[in-house]
């Protein structure tokens, strides 16, 4: 089945370390997204990309950067991790031809803990 | 601008009882509405969506939701809860800007035997 995968699934790191979370998809979708989920806060958009050369900041981009290496790959980096970046991170994809319907398909998530 | 309010961060029901999860939205343009479910240690899965047409939408696992424009609501219901329904449920709205999906804060559903 076409799918959205994330690596790693779990990561524990220390304050100040650089961390990269990776997302790959076989759905053939052109749009990709990174969200973080915190208890009681729902999902908040970090970055989104409409294609390889179109990357945009979301609601909470400070402290994060992204790279769209190919249509199928979208990586999220924490340049210098801090404890309040401890969260569950989700990658999602969607098709541009769906326009404003924007149904998104989610990966299984990466649980990141920053000590 | 758009926003979603889910009333009740935690709902507890007995097995076999009605499930009602409330969602109200705000949107300056005609909304497209979604319910997603998140089972423990998993990503989000689409339950159902309203785009246009019939206001009563049926989804997977016996869930349905009704779009009520006058009440700006999109409540999720299931006539009879099953233990396997225990999960977190998220309501989301899209419209206007052609990318943004705005999520509510989620409602954790507990099903008691």
């Amino acid at each position: 089945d076409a799918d959205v995968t994330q690596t790693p699934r779990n990561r524990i790191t220390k304050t100040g370390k650089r961390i990269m979370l990776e997302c790959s998809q076989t759905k053939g979708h052109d749009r990709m997204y990174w969200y973080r989920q915190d208890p009681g806060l729902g999902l908040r958009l970090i970055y989104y990309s409409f294609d390889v050369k179109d990357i945009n900041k979301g609601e909470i981009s400070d402290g994060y950067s992204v790279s769209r290496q190919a249509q199928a790959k979208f990586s999220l980096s924490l340049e210098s991790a801090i404890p309040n970046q401890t969260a569950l991170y989700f990658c999602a994809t969607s098709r541009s031809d769906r326009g404003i319907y924007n149904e998104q398909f989610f990966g299984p998530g990466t649980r990141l803990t920053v000590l | 601008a758009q926003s979603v309010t889910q009333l009740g961060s935690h709902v507890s029901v007995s097995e076999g009882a009605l499930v009602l999860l409330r969602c109200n939205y705000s949107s300056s343009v005609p909304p497209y509405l979604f319910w997603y479910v998140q089972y423990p240690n998993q990503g989000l899965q689409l339950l159902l969506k309203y785009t246009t047409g019939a206001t009563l939408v049926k989804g997977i696992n016996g869930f349905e939701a009704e779009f009520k424009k006058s009440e700006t609501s999109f409540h999720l219901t299931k006539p009879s809860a099953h233990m396997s329904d225990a999960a977190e449920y998220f309501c989301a709205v899209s419209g206007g800007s052609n990318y943004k999906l705005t999520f509510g804060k989620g409602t954790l559903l507990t099903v008691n035997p």
Side-chain angles (χ1 to χ4, degrees):
Chain A
D1 279 347
D3 213 345
V4 183
T5 58
Q6 293 183 234
T7 56
R9 294 294 311 278
N10 288 282
R11 181 72 183 268
I12 300 173
T13 191
K14 295 182 179 180
T15 297
K17 294 292 187 180
R18 184 178 188 275
I19 295 297
M20 179 180 286
L21 309 183
E22 298 185 332
C23 177
S24 295
Q25 53 111 349
T26 57
K27 289 188 168 296
H29 291 173
D30 49 349
R31 295 181 176 181
M32 299 186 74
Y33 311 81
W34 276 105
Y35 292 90
R36 66 176 278 175
Q37 182 183 21
D38 298 277
L41 296 181
L43 276 78
R44 293 180 290 168
L45 184 63
I46 306 172
Y47 271 94
Y48 62 100
S49 171
F50 283 173
D51 64 37
V52 174
K53 295 185 178 182
D54 184 1
I55 294 176
N56 305 277
K57 294 182 177 180
E59 305 170 54
I60 54 164
S61 59
D62 287 350
Y64 301 95
S65 63
V66 291
S67 174
R68 186 86 183 264
Q69 300 95 326
Q71 188 187 44
K73 295 184 182 295
F74 193 35
S75 299
L76 176 72
S77 293
L78 288 66
E79 296 302 325
S80 179
I82 57 176
N84 76 359
Q85 291 177 314
T86 293
L88 188 54
Y89 290 84
F90 287 105
C91 175
T93 71
S94 69
R95 291 168 51 175
S96 60
D97 61 351
R98 290 301 175 104
I100 58 176
Y101 294 176
N102 202 27
E103 177 183 344
Q104 295 182 15
F105 297 82
F106 285 79
T110 294
R111 186 168 297 280
L112 177 66
T113 303
V114 183
L115 303 176
Chain B
Q2 55 198 29
S3 64
V4 174
T5 301
Q6 291 185 240
L7 299 176
S9 59
H10 188 192
V11 170
S12 182
V13 301
S14 298
E15 192 173 18
L18 172 71
V19 175
L20 171 60
L21 305 183
R22 300 178 186 274
C23 172
N24 288 89
Y25 69 90
S26 172
S27 178
S28 57
V29 297
Y32 298 91
L33 296 157
F34 306 82
W35 275 100
Y36 282 86
V37 60
Q38 183 181 24
Y39 298 106
N41 299 314
Q42 295 187 26
L44 278 71
Q45 176 184 357
L46 184 68
L47 264 182
L48 50 78
K49 63 184 178 185
Y50 168 78
T51 53
T52 58
T55 56
L56 182 62
V57 180
K58 296 187 183 299
I60 61 172
N61 301 336
F63 284 92
E64 62 182 35
E66 187 171 10
F67 169 60
K68 291 187 176 181
K69 183 178 178 180
S70 61
E71 299 177 8
T72 61
S73 69
F74 191 57
H75 301 330
L76 182 70
T77 60
K78 181 174 181 178
S80 177
H82 192 273
M83 297 294 290
S84 61
D85 295 326
E88 190 158 22
Y89 293 80
F90 293 92
C91 181
V93 62
S94 177
S97 301
N98 65 357
Y99 71 91
K100 190 168 182 175
L101 199 60
T102 301
F103 287 87
K105 295 183 178 181
T107 297
L108 182 65
L109 176 66
T110 302
V111 182
N112 303 308

